[in-house]
Amino acid sequence: MYAASREALTQTRSALESALAGVSAGAATAAAAQTGAELFTAVEVLDGQRTLRAALADPSAPASVRQALADQVFSGKVSAETLATIDAAAGQDWSTSADLRNSLVLLGRESLLRAADDQNQLDTVEDELFRLGRIVAGNPDLEQGLSDRARPASAKRELLAKLLYGKVTAVTEALATQAVGRLKSAPADALNELSELAAARRDKAVAHVRSATALSEAQTERLVETLTRTYGKPVTVHVEVDPELLGGLVVRVGDEVIDGSAAGRLASLRKNLK
């Protein structure tokens, strides 16, 4: 994302936060959840209408004209908070129309996570998204069904919704079903990205750990303490048992990978011997 779009996102996020701040305390959680869901719906509209999305992001058109168009399309169909956010987005200068749509998706996700935070469910949502990512990664048929480009987005969402019904929080279901309907990466990676976004809201890093054997509670606590010291912020650890590692751990935090596994050391040794 270029500088113009980054600034546009910052201004639009500010408008969203101001709109939600104006909601009464008792209705704030519901308003955040509704705004998140409606922003997702608005993006679906833009994804399906090339002329509209191009017009809303057209830098040659006055901001007032773009905002009037947004009002014409969305007024009366979404809440005041959602409309204020879309209007703010339409009034910004975006590098591409894709940046506009992707930013509205991000703000929708942030709104839903705000609702989860208000209900003290953020830890639960983060964990559910991570576990869902592992389930998808471990089920080739499900992963293929969710990533099949020939399959309509609505069918992918329906497939995942049936799997999740009654098993996860409403926020987790909303985030996950939206993500699989608009995939930019492998389904498991998209779900992991959502889990990391939930952690980031609490100013935490996420460590994805693969271990040759299950870790004890004491081992997990020591790992958390070590990683927290290393990265200078609280770290959430998600552990996945992978017998193929033979021994040790592989830890991934963001783009950084620490390979302390026996398999990793053997691979390194083979590489050095070539």
Side-chain angles (χ1 to χ4, degrees):
M1 187 181 292
Y2 290 106
S5 289
R6 289 198 299 271
E7 177 61 22
L9 172 58
T10 298
Q11 295 300 323
T12 306
R13 180 182 284 117
S14 179
L16 169 60
E17 292 173 350
S18 295
L20 291 176
V23 178
S24 62
T29 300
Q34 181 179 0
T35 299
E38 289 178 343
L39 286 173
F40 288 167
T41 300
V43 171
E44 285 187 46
V45 173
L46 296 178
D47 282 343
Q49 298 187 31
R50 181 177 181 179
T51 301
L52 174 60
R53 65 178 182 257
L56 290 181
D58 182 2
S60 67
S64 58
V65 172
R66 301 196 301 265
Q67 290 174 319
L69 176 59
D71 283 339
Q72 180 183 340
V73 174
F74 295 106
S75 182
K77 300 175 183 177
V78 296
S79 68
E81 293 74 35
T82 304
L83 185 60
T85 305
I86 296 172
D87 276 355
Q92 305 301 317
D93 291 331
W94 301 88
S95 301
T96 67
S97 65
D99 285 349
L100 165 60
R101 286 174 286 146
N102 291 337
S103 293
L104 289 177
V105 168
L106 174 59
L107 295 177
R109 291 173 175 178
E110 291 177 357
S111 294
L112 284 164
L113 290 173
R114 175 174 179 159
D117 200 3
D118 288 347
Q119 299 173 86
N120 296 316
Q121 291 183 337
L122 209 50
D123 283 349
T124 301
V125 169
E126 179 197 332
D127 186 62
E128 288 175 344
L129 288 166
F130 172 77
R131 294 185 185 281
L132 178 58
R134 295 302 88 209
I135 290 171
V136 172
N139 187 325
D141 290 338
L142 177 58
E143 185 171 35
Q144 174 60 31
L146 295 176
S147 58
D148 185 357
R149 293 182 179 274
R151 193 171 196 166
S154 58
K156 296 178 186 179
R157 292 186 177 118
E158 183 178 355
L159 172 64
L160 191 60
K162 287 180 179 178
L163 175 67
L164 299 180
Y165 181 74
K167 300 176 183 177
V168 298
T169 62
V171 169
T172 296
E173 182 174 348
L175 289 168
T177 53
Q178 186 278 329
V180 300
R182 200 170 184 268
L183 285 174
K184 303 297 182 184
S185 59
D189 291 342
L191 294 166
N192 287 338
E193 181 183 335
L194 289 172
S195 178
E196 291 176 2
L197 186 63
R201 182 172 178 85
R202 296 178 294 135
D203 194 28
K204 284 191 171 185
V206 176
H208 297 283
V209 180
R210 289 190 295 135
S211 173
T213 58
L215 299 183
S216 68
E217 184 175 341
Q219 288 174 319
T220 302
E221 289 178 356
R222 288 198 296 273
L223 180 60
V224 169
E225 291 172 0
T226 299
L227 292 173
T228 296
R229 287 197 302 271
T230 300
Y231 290 96
K233 65 166 61 177
V235 177
T236 297
V237 171
H238 295 301
V239 181
E240 176 186 1
V241 176
D242 183 357
E244 293 185 2
L245 294 179
L246 304 179
L249 305 172
V250 176
V251 180
R252 180 175 65 81
V253 180
D255 295 330
E256 184 174 359
V257 177
I258 305 169
D259 191 345
S261 69
R265 291 193 292 272
L266 285 172
S268 179
L269 177 61
R270 291 192 192 100
K271 183 177 179 180
N272 292 334
L273 289 174
K274 287 182 179 180

